[in-house]
Amino acid sequence: MTAINAKRLINHINELGKIGIDSQGRRTRLALDDSDKLARDKLVQWMREAGLRIIIDKIGNIIALWENDSNKNKPAVMTGSHIDTVINAGQFDGCYGVLAGLEVIQTLKESNKIFPRPLAAAAFTNEEGVRYSPDMLGSLVYAGGMTPEQAHKIIGVDKTILGEELARINYLGTSEPGCIKPHAFIELHIEQGPILDSQNYDIGAVENLQGISWQKIIIEGVQNHAGTTPILYRQDAGLAAAKIITFMRTLCENNTLATAGCIEFQPNAINVIPSKAILTADLRNPDENLLCESENKLANFISQLEKTDRVKISVERLSRFKPVIFDSKIVGLVEKFSAKYNLKCRRITSGAGQDAQNMALMCPTAMIFAPSKDGISHNPREFTSEKDLISCTNVLFDVIQELAKEA
């Protein structure tokens, strides 16, 4: 039983997945780079072919809107995700949600159904945060968490300025972010984790999303000779970094996840005691109180480490998102329509940050997860079967219709 045009959906996913592949076969579309522009152009082309009105706002979010005279002044039922990628990425993360949303709206429009509410599919700018920080930037600006003017001044890791890059690729829109008011938002996404696949579930009804704390930790010691400086006399920034990383693993209780994903030594020479170490701390927990507790424990450890290792440590907050509880009614709809298609469904937590967490500040919001083979994501081996892609999009189709019927 298929509600949407499955062949068109799969073709769109595969065609978009070809954009940004280099001579070594690596797929990379960083926000606002040349490959991202090509992907945006292709997406806009498909939206136009579907007969949808296209809005590009001041942060470069792309929104395709289907409305009519009877509902055009009402808040819209929105769906969507992102099409930028990490470096050497798979082809499903984010892109699946955008293209599934487009497919649902195009199918409904072709059926000539009329709903009390408009329907909108969005592709949000810079969800991954690889080139510009913070991540999930487009939806953050859309929800009012940052002004477009503030975002335009952000300097990327390659020293480019976000606003200038938006203009360069012709996606510096004129519409105000949030101009399409959401009545509800539902994001379809691959799980990016192993739970659904390993436990043989067909679909996930995402009921909440972890809080996320990102910090940069800068340790300053004293550069010295590796062979002539006794251990007792060292002020070793590298050793202090190792102690922080080891301590972070002790925080992994009560559902806390802690990761040091980046580390850099200076001067980074084999025979020199590091004078500086820079590392990142990624802490996550679905409970705000427990997340705060982990942050405090890390701060206290760093404070003591300065004394015991005679180093100077500064901490820079990169981003902070509180846990999100998604709308129970929409979660229930996901379960209801999963049963309609005989899909084995379980409630699940999103371990990754998603645009939906920002949209939840504006309207009732939830997510749907499709299984990820072996839980692999941010990797060329990322894979979700066509069967799962289609069946989860069918559930999205029914959920959106149900929400669009609300007066």
Side-chain angles (χ1 to χ4, degrees):
M1 182 166 50
T2 299
I4 48 92
N5 185 328
K7 181 179 180 180
R8 182 169 59 196
L9 171 66
I10 300 303
N11 286 343
H12 281 170
I13 291 172
N14 290 334
E15 189 169 346
L16 192 67
K18 296 175 183 176
I19 299 176
I21 296 179
D22 64 18
S23 57
Q24 284 76 47
R26 305 195 326 160
R27 179 186 295 102
T28 302
R29 296 195 304 269
L30 303 187
L32 314 185
D33 70 4
D34 291 343
S35 294
D36 187 35
K37 172 181 167 48
L38 292 176
R40 286 165 171 264
D41 290 346
K42 178 59 69 173
L43 176 63
V44 168
Q45 174 191 328
W46 290 332
M47 289 172 167
R48 287 204 174 104
E49 289 172 355
L52 306 177
R53 181 161 75 91
I54 299 167
I55 298 102
I56 300 172
D57 67 19
K58 292 180 179 179
I59 193 60
N61 295 323
I62 303 169
I63 302 167
L65 185 68
W66 178 40
E67 60 186 355
N68 55 56
D69 290 340
S70 65
N71 65 23
K72 65 180 180 181
N73 294 320
K74 291 184 177 181
V77 174
M78 292 185 67
T79 186
S81 194
H82 63 96
I83 61 171
D84 64 310
T85 75
V86 297
I87 297 168
N88 198 22
Q91 74 171 10
F92 301 102
D93 177 8
C95 306
Y96 171 44
V98 174
L99 297 175
L102 173 60
E103 177 55 45
V104 166
I105 295 174
Q106 186 168 1
T107 298
L108 289 172
K109 185 175 184 294
E110 290 168 349
S111 71
N112 294 315
K113 290 187 177 182
I114 301 296
F115 296 99
R117 297 206 170 266
L119 303 181
F124 293 109
T125 296
N126 189 56
E127 193 272 352
E128 294 292 3
V130 176
R131 193 179 184 200
Y132 301 102
S133 183
D135 56 346
M136 296 168 285
L137 180 64
S139 56
L140 178 67
V141 174
Y142 196 87
M146 180 185 291
T147 68
E149 292 73 23
Q150 290 171 324
H152 291 166
K153 296 176 183 177
I154 294 173
I155 299 174
V157 294
D158 55 359
K159 307 306 180 185
T160 56
I161 299 173
L162 187 144
E164 293 179 358
E165 287 294 276
L166 273 173
R168 182 185 70 84
I169 66 168
N170 295 319
Y171 279 91
L172 180 58
T174 57
S175 298
E176 291 295 330
C179 61
I180 304 302
K181 303 299 181 186
H183 169 69
F185 183 83
I186 176 79
E187 180 173 2
L188 175 56
H189 208 280
I190 59 169
E191 182 195 350
Q192 300 181 276
I195 295 173
L196 297 177
D197 182 54
S198 65
Q199 298 181 8
N200 295 312
Y201 284 95
D202 302 307
I203 190 169
V206 186
E207 61 181 349
N208 61 348
L209 186 147
Q210 293 192 110
I212 303 173
S213 170
W214 280 6
Q215 301 173 66
K216 179 192 287 186
I217 302 170
I218 302 168
I219 307 167
E220 296 180 65
V222 175
Q223 178 177 328
N224 218 328
H225 196 293
T228 64
T229 310
I231 296 298
L232 181 63
Y233 294 95
R234 298 186 179 200
Q235 293 168 260
D236 189 337
L239 178 63
K243 289 180 179 180
I244 290 174
I245 293 171
T246 302
F247 175 78
M248 284 171 58
R249 181 53 59 93
T250 71
L251 299 174
C252 295
E253 56 187 22
N254 297 325
N255 291 324
T256 292
L257 299 174
T259 306
C262 301
I263 189 166
E264 172 190 342
F265 287 166
Q266 295 178 10
N268 201 34
I270 191 170
N271 60 347
V272 179
I273 299 166
S275 61
K276 180 179 282 190
I278 303 172
L279 67 153
T280 56
D282 178 321
L283 305 179
R284 306 188 187 214
N285 196 296
D287 183 295
E288 174 67 10
N289 291 331
L290 294 176
L291 181 59
C292 288
E293 181 181 304
S294 295
E295 290 175 310
N296 290 335
K297 286 181 178 179
L298 179 59
N300 290 336
F301 179 81
I302 287 172
S303 179
Q304 290 300 313
L305 189 64
E306 283 190 296
K307 299 172 185 176
T308 59
D309 285 40
R310 295 178 293 123
V311 292
K312 180 182 177 182
I313 306 178
S314 58
V315 178
E316 176 187 344
R317 170 76 72 192
L318 298 178
S319 64
R320 179 61 158 84
F321 295 98
K322 291 185 176 182
V324 175
I325 305 298
F326 287 131
D327 183 79
S328 60
K329 184 186 75 173
I330 302 179
V331 175
L333 289 177
V334 175
E335 292 176 315
K336 171 184 174 181
F337 293 117
S338 296
K340 169 185 172 181
Y341 292 101
N342 296 314
L343 301 176
K344 185 181 178 184
C345 178
R346 65 155 285 171
R347 293 199 172 200
I348 193 169
T349 295
S350 175
Q354 310 284 2
D355 288 311
Q357 71 193 69
N358 289 322
M359 296 304 292
L361 301 172
M362 303 182 74
C363 64
T365 297
M367 296 186 69
I368 302 169
F369 274 171
S372 293
K373 177 65 176 174
D374 298 326
I376 294 173
S377 184
H378 286 185
N379 183 312
R381 291 170 53 212
E382 176 181 274
F383 181 77
T384 298
S385 71
E386 289 188 8
K387 173 179 174 291
D388 289 334
L389 294 170
I390 294 164
S391 63
C392 292
T393 304
N394 283 334
V395 173
L396 178 71
F397 179 87
D398 282 10
V399 171
I400 284 178
Q401 283 193 90
E402 193 76 8
L403 294 172
K405 293 174 184 175
E406 297 175 351

